[in-house]
């Protein structure tokens, strides 16, 4: 049987780095360490439905160990996989109020890691897709311990971003600014294998994704846009289909694969939207742009926003280039 070339994530990262003469290999090592964390989280996520059956829901498991909630587990897994490696000077996680310092015992490196350990975690109990989102920057502080300034950089300064998505299969999607590549975890060998090289989001889609229960709280522009997408006009793909699972990672992953638009707008109750700029909007926007798509907060490009706080929220309109541009026209009252 003829076997096609098998490309593991490690091979892909190393080959990518070889294309950049002078690369130290440090960055590949950082991404490799992250993938280990994703595999460990995948293993626990896939056991989530078994907790009642094998008795792990109590405060202690059979080994007498405390059982952690899955999002706390994911958070700790990423942190522990990365804190000692010497590549990072600071980290920040959606689960923690403050940035996470690298412990004194470990060397400090030149990179910064921001992450959402388990996006969509309210969906765990109903077996809906969840994921881990990450974002990597080069430090701006001179050396030693990282600072808040290292974390508060605009998204266009990301040098890599991506996500692991724990769905009907587990995938890893990442970009280092040179296109977007997707890998599927083969659980039998424990390796992420290249399955989607150079992903491109269609210029225009026919799916919109938004929590329509919030309709009455939206601005006029958002309301009009959604009504427009529901109108019947075959020449512009309308009416669009509506899909919303309430797990950003799943909803945006689908948008990346099929095209269309995902929105979490500002509304009367959440004047800054719901999603977090640093842990959710920036990395997903980096990936979407690298795939040829677009991401906006309704007024400007997400990646151009300079953050002022770690847990800053932002409205988000992300997906196919033409669909997001159209949303912006409605939001600006041009339609
Ligand atoms: P989380 O970070 O606490 O999981 O919240 C973020 C999630 C996103 O995954 C999802 O897009 C959104 O919240 C859903 O919110 P809503 O239930 O308001 O539609
Ligand atoms: Mg989240």
């Amino acid at each position: 049987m003829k076997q096609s070339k098998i490309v593991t994530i490690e091979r892909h990262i190393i080959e990518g780095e070889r294309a950049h003469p002078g690369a130290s290999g440090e960055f590949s090592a950082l991404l490799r360490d992250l993938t280990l964390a994703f595999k460990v989280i995948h293993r626990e996520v896939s056991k989530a439905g078994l907790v009642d059956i094998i008795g792990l829901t109590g405060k202690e498991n059979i080994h007498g160990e405390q059982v952690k909630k899955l999002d706390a587990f994911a958070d700790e897994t990423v942190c522990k996989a990365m804190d000692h490696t010497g590549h990072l000077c600071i980290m920040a996680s959606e689960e923690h109020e403050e940035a996470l310092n690298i412990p004194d015992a470990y060397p400090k490196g030149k990179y910064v890691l921001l992450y959402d350990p388990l996006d969509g975690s309210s969906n765990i109990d109903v077996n809906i897709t969840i994921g881990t989102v990450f974002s990597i920057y080069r430090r701006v502080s001179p050396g030693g311990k990282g600072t808040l300034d290292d974390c508060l950089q605009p998204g266009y300064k990301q040098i890599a971003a991506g996500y692991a998505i724990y769905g009907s299969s587990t995938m890893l999607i990442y970009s280092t600014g040179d296109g977007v590549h997707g890998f599927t975890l083969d659980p039998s060998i424990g390796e992420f294998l290249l399955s989607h090289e150079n992903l491109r989001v269609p210029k225009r889609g026919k799916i919109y994704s938004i929590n329509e229960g919030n309709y009455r709280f939206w601005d006029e522009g958002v309301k009009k846009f959604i009504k427009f997408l529901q109108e019947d006009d075959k020449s512009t793909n309308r009416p669009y289909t509506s899909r919303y699972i309430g797990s950003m990672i799943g909803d945006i992953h689908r948008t990346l694969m099929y095209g269309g638009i995902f929105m979490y707008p500002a509304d009367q109750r959440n004047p800054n939207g719901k999603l977090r700029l640093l842990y959710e909007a920036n990395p997903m926007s980096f990936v979407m742009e690298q795939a040829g798509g677009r991401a906006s907060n309704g007024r400007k490009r997400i990646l151009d926003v300079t953050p002022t706080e770690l847990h800053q929220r932002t409205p988000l309109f992300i997906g196919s280039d033409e669909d997001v541009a159209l949303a912006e026209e409605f939001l600006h009252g041009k339609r």
Side-chain angles (χ1 to χ4, degrees):
M1 187 179 77
K2 187 172 172 290
Q3 196 172 19
S4 54
K5 185 169 94 169
I6 294 179
V7 180
T8 63
I9 180 102
E10 304 212 348
R11 175 172 173 181
H12 199 262
I13 293 169
I14 289 167
E15 287 181 353
E17 200 157 65
R18 268 191 211 133
H20 297 95
S24 63
E26 200 179 335
F27 184 58
S28 334
L30 190 159
L31 284 174
R32 215 171 36 229
D33 294 335
L34 259 181
T35 62
L36 175 63
F38 300 151
K39 287 182 204 171
V40 173
I41 299 169
H42 153 86
R43 189 193 60 200
E44 290 307 301
V45 166
S46 61
K47 288 196 303 204
L50 291 171
V51 288
D52 283 338
I53 301 167
I54 56 180
L56 295 181
T57 44
K59 288 223 177 326
E60 289 189 348
N61 65 20
I62 44 165
H63 309 293
E65 297 159 343
Q66 294 290 313
V67 177
K68 291 208 169 52
K69 280 178 64 193
L70 211 42
D71 37 11
F73 174 84
D75 178 56
E76 204 176 302
T77 301
V78 175
C79 184
K80 290 269 160 61
M82 305 306 293
D83 66 356
H84 61 282
T85 59
H87 306 309
L88 299 175
C89 65
I90 197 163
M91 294 183 266
S93 156
E94 198 192 278
E95 288 282 312
H96 296 266
E97 220 34 56
E98 310 279 337
L100 301 166
N101 288 316
I102 302 299
D104 289 342
Y106 302 130
K108 317 294 178 282
K110 57 184 180 203
Y111 298 108
V112 179
L113 172 68
L114 309 183
Y115 64 98
D116 179 356
L118 214 55
D119 179 67
S121 52
S122 63
N123 286 312
I124 291 169
D125 289 345
V126 283
N127 209 356
I128 280 177
T129 296
I130 51 182
T132 306
V133 195
F134 69 94
S135 176
I136 299 169
Y137 294 81
R138 206 164 266 120
R139 71 182 300 166
V140 290
S141 60
K145 269 172 79 165
T147 66
L148 196 56
D149 285 345
D150 292 317
C151 302
L152 298 179
Q153 301 187 56
Y156 73 84
K157 294 209 165 157
Q158 287 169 106
I159 55 171
Y163 54 91
I165 177 165
Y166 316 108
S168 46
S169 58
T170 287
M171 286 188 76
L172 172 55
I173 308 289
Y174 88 106
S175 174
T176 53
D178 192 13
V180 178
H181 309 290
F183 297 77
T184 303
L185 182 67
D186 180 341
S188 66
I189 56 169
E191 293 278 6
F192 281 105
L193 303 178
L194 183 62
S195 51
H196 298 72
E197 194 163 25
N198 208 9
L199 273 166
R200 304 298 295 168
V201 59
K203 276 271 160 252
R204 185 169 199 142
K206 48 182 178 201
I207 301 175
Y208 72 87
S209 186
I210 190 168
N211 183 344
E212 252 171 305
N214 293 335
Y215 184 88
R216 62 186 288 255
F217 303 110
W218 295 338
D219 290 347
E220 238 4 79
V222 181
K223 288 182 179 170
K224 274 187 169 169
F225 180 52
I226 298 302
K227 286 292 162 222
F228 174 83
L229 296 176
Q230 293 170 345
E231 282 166 16
D232 191 12
D233 177 9
K234 289 208 172 38
S235 69
T236 51
N237 279 346
R238 291 179 295 154
Y240 277 35
T241 291
S242 165
R243 293 276 185 275
Y244 188 79
I245 59 170
S247 175
M248 176 204 72
I249 195 96
D251 281 317
I252 298 186
H253 181 69
R254 183 198 53 247
T255 306
L256 177 71
M257 304 299 284
Y258 289 166
I261 182 167
F262 168 86
M263 293 161 272
Y264 209 111
D267 63 40
Q268 279 166 24
R269 293 173 308 173
N270 304 298
N272 299 314
K274 175 176 185 188
L275 300 175
R276 318 275 176 153
L277 178 61
L278 296 187
Y279 314 107
E280 296 170 326
N282 269 340
M284 300 312 279
S285 300
F286 185 82
V287 168
M288 194 60 82
E289 284 197 5
Q290 281 293 319
R294 192 177 180 111
S296 164
N297 65 8
R299 292 188 308 279
K300 67 195 274 192
R301 180 185 177 223
I302 288 283
L303 298 185
D304 284 337
V305 176
T306 302
T308 53
E309 31 179 304
L310 278 180
H311 293 280
Q312 190 165 330
R313 294 176 192 272
T314 178
L316 179 63
F317 300 83
I318 185 169
S320 293
D321 185 55
E322 291 179 11
D323 288 315
V324 177
L326 193 60
E328 286 177 318
E329 285 187 28
F330 276 90
L331 294 165
H332 297 165
K334 292 188 186 145
R335 316 244 328 190

